[in-house]
Amino acid sequence: MPLELPDRCTIDLDGPTAYREWAGPPETTFVLVHGLGGSHLNWVQAAPGLSGLGRVLALDLPGFGWSPLAGRGAGLMDQRRLVSRFIGELAPGPVVLGGNSMGGAIAILEAAVEPEAVRRLILTASVFPWARGGWPHPAVIGAFAMYDTPGIGERLVGARVRRLDPERVVRIAFRLTTVDPRRIPEEIVRLNVDLLRERQDEPDAARAYVEAARSLLRLGRRP
């Protein structure tokens, strides 16, 4: 059965912030936060099932997906404040906050800073807390080392976006971040490829990616 997506919406949070909403029982609202280099598309397979339990809101953080940076910061605390405003505007009352990868770190920070806004916390492949004995793919470790180098990180990400075919970028990313990329439906792959192709000329995409990556590394260095 083809995936049916609700219309993409935009809210002004000091700049356009894109999101989709799946209707559900109003007593519970899920707010879903994507990871580094991701978008709300990371959640489109999970959202229809969750909507049987409550409203589902999946957003694009500034600098990612269809949300331009628009002068906003892309560091973790900047993104945490954006998520807080998003919840305040669209989901009054405590929410079930879900975070994937970098989104897990943002969700943890939001729950710590504003516990009254978060009823439950769901982490999927969260970058934090560290799992004992768990190590990222060596290519990921190497890439983050370069992201952390002033000047080189921006050039690396910019060149990747401009020069590599979007389909290749998406398939490599899924290979590095999933146990079995063959389980990802081709329709999901195509949605991500189309988004990346659309964002290739986004002037702040590389800067947002590197700023977020460096912020993750700074937080990871703290005990």
Side-chain angles (χ1 to χ4, degrees):
M1 180 180 297
L3 186 67
E4 293 186 7
L5 296 179
D7 291 340
R8 193 170 74 239
C9 303
T10 302
I11 184 172
D12 184 6
L13 300 174
D14 293 329
T17 301
Y19 70 96
R20 293 188 201 265
E21 177 175 354
W22 287 259
E27 297 80 12
T28 300
T29 299
F30 295 87
V31 174
L32 307 178
V33 187
H34 64 79
L36 181 66
S39 72
H40 76 271
L41 295 178
N42 295 157
W43 298 102
V44 295
Q45 282 185 280
L50 288 176
S51 68
L53 304 173
R55 294 171 64 221
V56 179
L57 300 168
L59 74 155
D60 289 339
L61 297 167
F64 300 92
W66 282 275
S67 295
L69 199 56
R72 296 173 288 187
L76 292 185
M77 290 307 291
D78 296 307
Q79 304 285 24
R80 197 283 306 170
R81 285 187 285 269
L82 186 285
V83 169
S84 174
R85 290 192 60 194
F86 184 83
I87 292 172
E89 293 285 341
L90 294 174
V95 302
V96 179
L97 186 57
N100 169 248
S101 190
M102 179 185 75
I106 295 168
I108 290 170
L109 291 170
E110 172 62 11
V113 174
E114 299 187 59
E116 69 283 355
V118 180
R119 179 185 301 172
R120 296 283 188 274
L121 191 62
I122 302 172
L123 305 178
T124 68
S126 175
V127 66
F128 302 123
W130 295 114
R132 185 178 298 276
W135 291 96
H137 192 286
V140 175
I141 295 175
F144 268 83
M146 287 188 283
Y147 298 154
D148 204 27
T149 305
I152 293 178
E154 288 85 353
R155 288 198 295 272
L156 172 68
V157 176
R160 183 174 65 197
V161 170
R162 290 191 303 272
R163 298 176 186 173
L164 293 183
D165 176 69
E167 179 156 352
R168 186 180 178 198
V169 173
V170 168
R171 292 192 185 277
I172 290 174
F174 282 150
R175 230 174 18 243
L176 292 175
T177 57
T178 62
V179 173
D180 184 2
R182 293 171 299 180
R183 295 170 57 187
I184 301 172
E186 189 63 22
E187 186 176 12
I188 301 296
V189 174
R190 303 280 13 126
L191 284 170
N192 281 274
V193 170
D194 291 344
L195 168 59
L196 187 57
R197 184 168 285 118
E198 187 175 328
R199 293 188 69 240
Q200 275 186 304
D201 296 327
E202 176 64 44
D204 291 326
R207 184 165 71 85
Y209 189 101
V210 172
E211 184 179 341
R214 289 173 179 165
S215 182
L216 277 171
L217 290 169
R218 285 195 300 271
L219 184 60
R221 293 186 184 112
R222 296 170 60 185

